[in-house]
Amino acid sequence: MTQLKPILMHLDSIPSTPGKFKPDKSSPYNLYRLRFHPTLFPRFTLWSFFFIFFIVLLIFFSSPSNPTAGNSRRSLKNSLSPSPALGPNWERRVRASARPRSKTGFTVLVTGAAGFVGTHVSLGLKRRGDGVLGLDNFNQYYDVGLKKARQSLLERSGIMVVKGDINDAVLLRKLFDAVAFTHVMHMAAQAGVRYAMQNPGSYVHSNIAGFVSLLEACKMANPQPSIVWASSSSVYGLNSKVPFSEKDRTDQPASLYAATKKAGEEIAHTYNHIYGLSITGLRFFTVYGPWGRPDMAYFFFTKDILRGKEIKIFETSDQGSVARDFTYVDDVVKGCLGALDTAKKSTGSGGKKKGAAQLRIFNLGNTKPVPVGRLVSILEKLLKVKAKKKVIQMPRNGDVPFTHANITLAHTELGYKPTTDLEMGLKKFVKWYVSYYGSKKKSSW
Ligand SMILES: *[C@@H]1O[C@H](CO)[C@@H](O)[C@H](O)[C@H]1NC(C)=O
């Protein structure tokens, strides 16, 4: 019945009793009459045309291949009568996944749970006894097969990953209604610096609109959860003062990605200020490791070196080397858990602030920048293959020449202390890479 409404609205614009319709001179129908009626088309044929036209419209708007119509229909369905996927059985699974092992354990919603860091954080939380519910939209920015494989890994540990978008307010409400989350670990984002030139809208959709949608759900929740989320070292942009400290300026981003992460930090300030949400932002520095992202240099260098394909190594405009503060994923996970453990409770409830709440920002880096050339020579040694290298000047499309974290603050406040150097970390990555791609012969990515 509800699905008929839009069609009835279309029908409203034509008379319900065609036979009695007397077109006046200004009516647009008049034109049709003049053109068709007198000679070839009897009056009823004209109205059959209208009828067929609206039938075609009806089919068009109810077709699932039409994305807008599909979306509005889905959200309508969610709010009115849940589909089987959101029914009582689904809710039971959601609750079971989010249930901590002990009374003192956290109940955490992890967004972007099928992503690289999201997967590792989820596993880390589950391992120590917290309850974890994952959420991920499984978008096609990179190989969905890899995301699905991470999901299987999570499921084997008893973690359910709901397929859905953080922009879906109805779904978020359903999740918050089903579970009283104590914490939200927000890792969902559109990642990648260069891709922003191809698809800028995706960054706005995930990193800005999606973040706001999530904060809206958190603010309305009762009790409000504490939020820890992934910002980025890219907010330091074109800064030349090293190491990067949290108090340094972050107003000269070099990419749209960086700009949307910086926007996220400002949005976090607003939601903390107005609604009393406890929010901690973590500025990640080039996180790498097993189950990593195929769009990152260490990952596709490995792939290309093994295939004998030439790799491009960037240098700065003055022939300097490009360097990154590579941070091993297990170290980052420890930082994330430290942030959760030290997060104070949000002070508001049901959309009302009751007092000042915690707002923090931390660098999570390794404090040891490594030139990209060194990264390549470590990979050559581990893979036992000589790379075909081509040194080119770094294009000015979003990358910054170097990153270097000051992690003093994270160390004092979170007990953060990275222990894995690049050689050790890459060894673990390569071991995973060979076992994952070597045995499965994946070609789709
Ligand atoms: C690192 O950050 C701390 C504050 O967290 C600051 O006191 C210190 O001066 C910074 N160190 C450097 C070398 O910039």
Side-chain angles (χ1 to χ4, degrees):
M1 194 56 208
T2 46
Q3 286 183 33
L4 278 173
K5 266 189 188 144
I7 292 124
L8 288 174
M9 263 152 53
H10 287 290
L11 291 174
D12 283 344
S13 59
I14 61 159
S16 53
T17 48
K20 289 184 182 161
F21 178 54
K22 291 211 176 86
D24 64 63
K25 295 220 161 55
S26 64
S27 162
Y29 299 111
N30 224 359
L31 276 174
Y32 290 95
R33 247 172 67 92
L34 288 176
R35 216 179 288 158
F36 300 125
H37 172 61
T39 52
L40 291 167
F41 293 86
R43 189 176 287 232
F44 76 88
T45 319
L46 173 66
W47 289 107
S48 351
F49 269 119
F50 274 105
F51 186 68
I52 289 164
F53 174 69
F54 283 112
I55 293 290
V56 169
L57 260 189
L58 189 153
I59 291 164
F60 178 75
F61 276 107
S62 62
S63 150
S65 67
N66 177 333
T68 18
N71 279 345
S72 63
R73 237 163 27 116
R74 197 165 49 234
S75 51
L76 211 68
K77 223 179 186 175
N78 287 353
S79 58
L80 298 176
S81 58
S83 67
L86 301 174
N89 190 40
W90 176 84
E91 219 163 285
R92 236 190 324 275
R93 285 172 54 222
V94 162
R95 286 210 185 91
S97 181
R99 195 172 298 127
R101 264 207 309 272
S102 75
K103 274 216 160 69
T104 53
F106 295 155
T107 303
V108 190
L109 173 67
V110 179
T111 71
F116 169 38
V117 183
T119 294
H120 285 278
V121 170
S122 298
L123 290 171
L125 289 166
K126 194 74 181 184
R127 216 172 282 135
R128 65 177 208 175
D130 293 329
V132 180
L133 178 72
L135 176 65
D136 204 293
N137 70 0
F138 291 88
N139 74 12
Q140 306 202 344
Y141 169 59
Y142 62 81
D143 180 26
V144 177
L146 179 57
K147 297 181 182 185
K148 293 224 173 102
R150 295 191 194 118
Q151 180 188 20
S152 313
L153 187 70
L154 295 176
E155 271 168 2
R156 266 176 271 145
S157 304
I159 300 168
M160 175 185 181
V161 182
V162 172
K163 185 172 191 284
D165 199 292
I166 47 173
N167 282 282
D168 187 343
V170 175
L171 174 63
L172 289 183
R173 188 163 347 121
K174 263 200 123 17
L175 294 177
F176 279 89
D177 281 350
V179 179
F181 295 107
T182 57
H183 295 77
V184 171
M185 185 58 92
H186 174 48
M187 299 285 130
Q190 176 58 59
V193 160
R194 275 151 301 209
Y195 179 63
M197 301 182 69
Q198 276 162 261
N199 192 356
S202 170
Y203 290 78
V204 177
H205 178 78
S206 293
N207 305 357
I208 299 183
F211 192 27
V212 170
S213 160
L214 180 68
L215 290 172
E216 281 292 318
C218 291
K219 136 207 154 182
M220 291 310 295
N222 197 0
Q224 290 175 337
S226 307
I227 299 153
V228 175
W229 72 285
S231 183
S232 164
S233 62
S234 67
V235 299
Y236 292 112
L238 302 172
N239 287 9
S240 54
K241 175 193 163 286
V242 283
F244 298 156
S245 307
E246 288 85 350
K247 287 210 167 72
D248 294 347
R249 64 188 293 193
T250 51
D251 59 350
Q252 37 186 2
S255 65
L256 182 66
Y257 170 69
T260 58
K261 283 296 182 181
K262 167 69 177 171
E265 293 187 358
E266 307 304 331
I267 289 164
H269 179 273
T270 309
Y271 274 80
N272 167 267
H273 175 69
I274 302 181
Y275 302 110
L277 283 172
S278 160
I279 309 181
T280 303
L282 303 173
R283 292 175 179 162
F284 292 167
F285 283 70
T286 321
V287 188
Y288 72 100
W291 298 100
R293 271 183 17 230
D295 64 326
M296 292 188 69
Y298 73 92
F299 199 115
F300 61 76
F301 279 177
T302 301
K303 174 186 164 195
D304 290 344
I305 290 172
L306 285 174
R307 291 183 181 186
K309 208 178 137 199
E310 181 183 88
I311 58 171
K312 294 189 182 78
I313 298 173
F314 291 159
E315 63 175 17
T316 56
S317 51
D318 52 356
Q319 271 99 54
S321 56
V322 172
R324 288 284 176 274
D325 197 354
F326 293 98
T327 313
Y328 189 63
V329 67
D330 288 358
D331 288 327
V332 165
V333 167
K334 282 185 211 145
C336 291
L337 301 192
L340 271 195
D341 291 340
T342 54
K344 298 217 170 101
K345 283 198 163 78
S346 292
T347 62
S349 69
K352 292 250 160 45
K353 182 180 178 178
K354 304 240 167 72
Q358 190 180 39
L359 181 69
R360 304 180 297 172
I361 196 97
F362 296 106
N363 286 341
L364 291 186
N366 195 48
T367 65
K368 290 184 191 71
V370 177
V372 176
R374 168 94 183 113
L375 164 77
V376 173
S377 63
I378 296 173
L379 285 177
E380 286 178 315
K381 205 176 85 191
L382 291 169
L383 299 168
K384 300 185 184 71
V385 181
K386 197 100 190 98
K388 292 193 184 105
K389 289 171 268 192
K390 186 179 180 193
V391 178
I392 59 164
Q393 201 177 315
M394 192 172 71
R396 242 173 264 183
N397 56 9
D399 277 315
V400 294
F402 54 83
T403 61
H404 182 181
N406 173 354
I407 56 165
T408 308
L409 193 63
H411 180 67
T412 35
E413 300 289 318
L414 314 178
Y416 174 68
K417 198 168 186 285
T419 56
T420 315
D421 65 18
L422 188 58
E423 226 167 321
M424 175 58 70
L426 282 178
K427 196 171 164 184
K428 292 183 182 175
F429 165 73
V430 165
K431 192 170 168 227
W432 167 81
Y433 184 95
V434 171
S435 74
Y436 183 74
Y437 288 106
S439 60
K440 293 181 187 176
K441 280 263 168 293
K442 302 217 165 217
S443 56
S444 62
W445 54 285

